[in-house]
């Protein structure tokens, strides 16, 4: 308290000198405006942005909406986006609107169709959406189940080919010497905290219905 009185007494003495009084007034204004500017900046920085689309915020896998998925096929990766009830497949940095079995190159900002090469995939893998996969799982036969120490669960399923064709319309014609009877695909899913986080589709038999080949065709999907 004594020091405060001494400081106050010194300020009174300085204030009595006219030349110093002007400097003190300017200094006081500088301090005042510094606080004002600092307050404006804090106010500006506290302007929260509108929350962006919440990826993977679905209630169930079957009704999964507004999500991203990464497809991996033979070491090639393709990003798939579902946003506002529209599907997009990104190939070589080009966005394609995926409508059923048709890919249309677009400008993702304007939505306008652009000129770009249409990729020719022998299997339209993007048709295996969470909704389709959920329908297949309902009719699939559980082949094995493995529980890990971290509580992850891996399940393997066999799916009848007829059920695949009932849910996936690829628009492709089956080879004459092929049949879907007594045929199947395999699915392996990984569950974490009760949710499907990744899966592997062994579509070899499905692939060989359309293409004369002995090669395997597996699709890895991460959500």
């Amino acid at each position: 308290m004594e020091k405060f009185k001494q400081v106050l007494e010194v300020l009174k003495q300085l204030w009595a000198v006219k030349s110093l009084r002007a400097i003190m007034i300017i200094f006081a204004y500088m301090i005042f405006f510094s606080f004002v500017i600092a307050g404006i900046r804090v106010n500006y920085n506290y302007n929260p942005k509108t929350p962006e689309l919440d990826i993977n915020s679905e209630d169930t896998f079957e009704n999964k909406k507004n999500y991203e998925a990464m497809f991996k096929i033979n070491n090639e990766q393709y990003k798939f986006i579902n946003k506002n009830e529209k599907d997009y497949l990104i190939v070589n940095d080009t966005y394609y609107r995926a409508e059923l079995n048709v890919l249309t190159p677009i400008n993702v900002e304007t939505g306008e169709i652009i000129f770009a090469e249409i990729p020719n995939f022998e299997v339209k893998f993007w048709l295996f959406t969470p909704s389709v996969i959920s329908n297949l799982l309902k009719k699939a036969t559980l082949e094995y189940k493995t529980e890990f120490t971290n509580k992850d669960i891996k399940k393997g399923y066999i799916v009848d080919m007829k059920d695949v064709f009932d849910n996936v319309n690829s628009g492709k014609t089956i080879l004459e010497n092929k049949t879907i009877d007594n045929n199947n695909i395999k699915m392996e899913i990984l569950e974490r905290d009760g949710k499907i986080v990744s899966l592997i589709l062994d579509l070899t038999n499905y692939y060989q219905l359309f293409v004369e080949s002995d090669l395997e065709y597996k699709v890895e999907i991460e959500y």
Side-chain angles (χ1 to χ4, degrees):
M1 190 68 180
E2 187 66 28
K3 289 184 178 180
F4 176 76
K5 290 182 178 180
Q6 292 177 358
V7 171
L8 188 60
E9 186 62 31
V10 170
L11 290 175
K12 288 181 179 180
Q13 294 176 4
L14 294 174
W15 184 261
V17 182
K18 291 185 178 180
S19 59
L20 295 177
R21 187 186 303 171
I23 296 175
M24 291 175 67
I25 292 174
I26 294 173
F27 185 71
Y29 272 113
M30 288 176 63
I31 294 174
F32 172 75
F33 283 114
S34 295
F35 279 108
V36 172
I37 293 172
I40 293 174
R41 286 180 177 175
V42 170
N43 220 16
Y44 176 78
N45 291 333
Y46 185 68
N47 184 20
K49 295 182 179 179
T50 302
E52 296 181 357
L53 185 68
D54 186 11
I55 301 299
N56 289 335
S57 61
E58 78 293 346
D59 293 326
T60 64
F61 185 77
E62 182 175 5
N63 299 318
K64 200 175 185 71
K65 294 180 181 179
N66 296 328
Y67 67 93
E68 294 183 358
M70 187 64 72
F71 288 83
K72 184 178 179 181
I73 307 167
N74 298 328
N75 297 320
E76 294 289 337
Q77 291 189 339
Y78 307 98
K79 191 174 184 178
F80 181 90
I81 298 174
N82 173 278
K83 184 176 181 179
N84 299 330
E85 299 184 351
K86 292 183 179 180
D87 295 332
Y88 304 93
L89 185 69
I90 304 174
V91 181
N92 296 328
D93 297 326
T94 299
Y95 279 75
Y96 294 84
R97 184 182 294 125
E99 298 175 310
L100 296 178
N101 56 3
V102 178
L103 294 178
T104 304
I106 63 164
N107 181 320
V108 71
E109 295 182 356
T110 64
E112 297 178 351
I113 298 175
I114 62 174
F115 177 79
E117 182 179 357
I118 307 297
N120 182 26
F121 293 108
E122 293 170 324
V123 172
K124 294 177 171 56
F125 53 86
W126 62 88
L127 296 178
F128 289 84
T129 62
S131 176
V132 168
I133 292 169
S134 295
N135 288 336
L136 295 179
L137 286 173
K138 291 175 183 177
K139 298 183 178 181
T141 300
L142 180 64
E143 189 177 21
Y144 59 86
K145 177 180 178 180
T146 306
E147 298 186 18
F148 300 94
T149 55
N150 64 353
K151 298 185 179 180
D152 285 358
I153 301 175
K154 183 179 290 184
K155 297 178 183 178
Y157 294 89
I158 296 177
V159 184
D160 189 273
M161 192 66 74
K162 185 179 182 302
D163 293 329
V164 176
F165 272 77
D166 287 344
N167 286 274
V168 180
N169 177 18
S170 68
K172 298 179 76 70
T173 304
I174 299 177
L175 296 173
E176 291 183 2
N177 61 334
K178 300 291 183 177
T179 177
I180 66 173
D181 295 334
N182 301 317
N183 210 338
N184 58 62
I185 68 169
K186 294 185 177 183
M187 292 195 301
E188 182 180 84
I189 68 172
L190 180 65
E191 294 181 357
R192 181 172 297 139
D193 297 327
K195 293 185 178 181
I196 296 176
V197 294
S198 67
L199 60 95
I200 299 176
L201 296 174
D202 186 346
L203 300 179
T204 301
N205 292 338
Y206 179 79
Y207 167 71
Q208 292 175 355
L209 289 173
F210 309 112
V211 180
E212 288 286 5
S213 174
D214 295 326
L215 297 176
E216 288 187 340
Y217 196 98
K218 293 185 177 181
V219 180
E220 299 178 36
I221 311 174
E222 291 187 0
Y223 298 97

